[in-house]
Amino acid sequence: MFSVFPTARLRPSPFYASAVAEGMTAASIYNRMIMPTSYGDPEAEYWRLINGVSQWDVGVERQVQLKGPDAGRLAQILSPRDLSNCKVGQGKYVPLCNHRGTIINDPILLKLADDLYWLSIADSDIWFWASAIAAERGLTVEVSEPDVSPMALQGPKAEDVVAHVLGDWVRQLKYFWFKETEIEGIPVAVQRSGWSKQGGFEIYLKDGTRGTQLWNIFKEAGQPWGIGPGAPATAERTESGLVSVGGDTDEATNPFEVRLGKYVDLDVGDDVVGIQALRRIKAEGVKRHQLGIVLKGDAPAPLGFRRQDIIRNGQRIGMMTNCVWSPRLKANIGYALIDAGVPAGETVQVMRDQGPVSANLVVLPFL
């Protein structure tokens, strides 16, 4: 086993010391930061998320801040989703696309004021992208990365823990809505959100010097509910049908191919980046679609570094983009990005490192 060599180009989150103290055993690199992926007992971490409450360091979800008179205009130019009715305190899931209609990120947009927005991004450099678009369009807006780092509480008991710390008002927050507040003098924004289908909240820390303090407040508060560390790397993500942009997408994937078409409004203005390409893609017909795939075999066999080809009747029809062992389904499951004409219910072959493996295509989500 190897370790990551520390360098100033690789940043720890404000919760890094807490993750290490919790026994972090594995991590990935995400937005040039260290993202915990396991604490040594993946099975326990999985069931904690399914049945209890799991505490995540997701400080790698960086914020791209848009501030100034044209902040709202830039947010809309970047987004193929109509933001005209977005209210202060509201968040929206937004698939960002390039000029070809290829999805390049899928942040949560948070509107903090009429002239202030955050894009809470996935793993790609949207700071550069937003800055370039703003300059090219001549907009009066400052694009920056603020000192804001999310920590997540996920699982069916997460609401009880967050309400214990902040009060029952959090129970009234609608999904993706948020409120700015303080916890023992620590400035935060509290949003009902998170990269799981089990429910929960993301606590946006607005002072990076107080990450350990904030972590410990929720760790202590969550003891009656069995809180413990975890990460958005369990099989629950795949079981629930959540898309990982960059993992489940390639350099040509558009939102319609990966079940994100409902977040695209084709009647937004012509100045929105990628909208004309998306209109053309929709009119011509989508060439690929995403299905679930269940592989034969009763031993865990995760995907590894490379996507794997899917074969039907001797012809390549697409690729498997992820594969994990599902404790609830007792099978290796993943996503298939394949020709649009291939339906669920088909039996296919996945070209795994050890040889072809038979698999069945199914509709997502699995659970």
Side-chain angles (χ1 to χ4, degrees):
M1 181 57 67
F2 61 88
S3 60
V4 175
F5 181 75
T7 167
R9 297 180 66 183
L10 184 63
R11 301 175 296 172
S13 88
F15 312 110
Y16 174 75
S18 297
V20 171
E22 294 281 3
M24 178 177 65
T25 59
S28 183
I29 306 302
Y30 195 101
N31 280 328
R32 301 189 302 279
M33 297 181 69
I34 299 168
M35 181 178 77
T37 56
S38 181
Y39 293 84
D41 191 346
E43 185 86 4
E45 293 161 30
Y46 171 85
W47 289 114
R48 186 181 299 129
L49 174 60
I50 300 300
N51 297 321
V53 54
S54 185
Q55 187 173 17
W56 297 355
D57 170 7
V58 284
V60 297
E61 296 172 2
R62 304 313 299 160
Q63 312 310 302
V64 176
Q65 180 170 282
L66 316 178
K67 182 175 176 58
D70 290 332
R73 184 179 172 199
L74 177 57
Q76 184 62 85
I77 287 172
L78 295 171
S79 168
R81 184 174 185 182
D82 184 5
L83 304 179
S84 61
N85 294 320
C86 188
K87 298 177 173 59
V88 173
Q90 185 176 9
K92 284 183 176 289
Y93 181 69
V94 176
L96 303 187
C97 297
N98 64 18
H99 296 81
R100 299 187 305 273
T102 300
I103 187 167
I104 58 173
N105 207 289
D106 61 334
I108 304 301
L109 176 140
L110 294 82
K111 183 174 181 179
L112 292 94
D114 288 337
D115 64 349
L116 180 61
Y117 293 76
W118 291 343
L119 296 170
S120 187
I121 62 171
D123 187 19
S124 68
D125 204 333
I126 298 304
W127 186 92
F128 280 148
W129 177 256
S131 297
I133 298 297
E136 181 262 336
R137 303 295 175 96
L139 301 180
T140 304
V141 58
E142 178 187 357
V143 180
S144 64
E145 182 184 306
D147 179 11
V148 176
S149 303
M151 178 191 70
L153 285 299
Q154 297 290 294
K157 298 180 181 178
E159 182 175 293
D160 291 331
V161 176
V162 177
H164 181 73
V165 174
L166 285 161
D168 283 339
W169 62 264
V170 301
R171 301 185 190 275
Q172 307 306 315
L173 279 177
K174 294 180 287 186
Y175 205 76
F176 286 145
W177 288 70
F178 66 93
K179 180 178 179 180
E180 296 181 85
T181 186
E182 291 187 350
I183 302 171
E184 297 185 12
I186 304 171
V188 298
V190 179
Q191 183 181 50
R192 187 183 290 275
S193 63
W195 210 41
S196 81
K197 286 289 185 70
Q198 305 309 310
F201 294 81
E202 289 184 303
I203 316 297
Y204 291 77
L205 170 66
K206 297 197 288 183
D207 179 352
T209 67
R210 306 182 75 175
T212 299
Q213 182 184 0
L214 184 68
W215 182 278
N216 288 337
I217 287 171
F218 281 94
K219 177 181 178 179
E220 180 178 350
Q223 293 306 307
W225 291 275
I227 196 170
T234 71
E236 188 273 345
R237 191 273 290 190
T238 303
E239 292 171 346
S240 297
L242 299 179
V243 176
S244 173
V245 170
D248 299 316
T249 62
D250 61 15
E251 66 282 354
T253 307
N254 62 69
F256 306 113
E257 294 178 323
V258 286
R259 300 173 292 118
L260 300 181
K262 63 184 177 180
Y263 302 110
V264 174
D265 297 310
L266 294 175
D267 57 352
V268 294
D270 291 347
D271 60 345
V272 171
V273 175
I275 194 61
Q276 297 187 54
L278 291 167
R279 291 170 185 159
R280 184 173 62 255
I281 291 167
K282 185 69 171 177
E284 293 175 353
V286 179
K287 303 298 191 294
R288 300 185 294 180
H289 67 157
Q290 187 181 60
L291 292 175
I293 189 166
V294 181
L295 287 75
K296 303 296 184 184
D298 57 4
L303 181 64
F305 287 110
R306 287 176 290 277
R307 304 178 183 109
Q308 294 172 330
D309 287 345
I310 298 175
I311 307 297
R312 186 184 70 153
N313 298 330
Q315 300 293 319
R316 182 186 184 277
I317 58 170
M319 58 187 176
M320 182 172 70
T321 62
N322 76 71
C323 182
V324 297
W325 178 259
S326 167
R328 285 184 285 181
L329 296 175
K330 303 297 181 185
N332 289 301
I333 64 172
Y335 296 163
L337 185 57
I338 57 174
D339 296 344
V342 180
E346 293 285 294
T347 298
V348 296
Q349 300 289 311
V350 182
M351 306 308 291
R352 311 227 63 189
D353 293 340
Q354 68 272 27
V357 174
S358 182
N360 294 321
L361 299 173
V362 300
V363 174
L364 289 168
F366 293 95
L367 295 171

